[in-house]
Amino acid sequence: MIPLDIRPNLELNPWEGTGRETAVASLASVGLLPNGTSQGRPVFAMLVRLEDGSTVVVQTTWALMSAAVRALAASPVAELDRREHG
């Protein structure tokens, strides 16, 4: 399995190496690609639009993405958001 770095609070634990070389981007689309891996497992794909207008497709396995979402949903940041915003 490909490792995925999950950071429940980027203010307390920021990513390394995200200085000037990091482009500003926005998430444009998300989707699942059935049979996206060589083993026939689904892939979670995101279309990211960079500030210069170009786009990049970013992907990971659905298993990794769903595990990341569960981990982030269990974080204190997500709990605070649920309490404050329902």
Side-chain angles (χ1 to χ4, degrees):
M1 188 179 293
I2 300 167
L4 185 62
D5 181 19
I6 301 169
R7 308 273 175 119
N9 188 333
L10 286 171
E11 288 180 0
L12 298 176
N13 188 13
W15 290 315
E16 311 295 321
T18 54
R20 286 193 240 212
E21 75 280 358
T22 303
V24 174
S26 60
L27 186 58
S29 299
V30 298
L32 290 174
L33 178 62
N35 304 307
T37 70
S38 58
Q39 294 83 23
R41 303 286 307 269
V43 165
F44 177 80
M46 298 171 280
L47 181 68
V48 177
R49 192 169 316 283
L50 302 177
E51 62 184 353
D52 67 2
S54 62
T55 56
V56 177
V57 174
V58 180
Q59 64 184 28
T60 189
T61 63
W62 174 242
L64 280 175
M65 187 63 193
S66 63
V69 169
R70 286 191 308 274
L72 293 173
S75 74
V77 172
E79 179 59 31
L80 180 61
D81 182 62
R82 281 189 293 275
R83 278 194 227 149
E84 290 183 355
H85 305 286

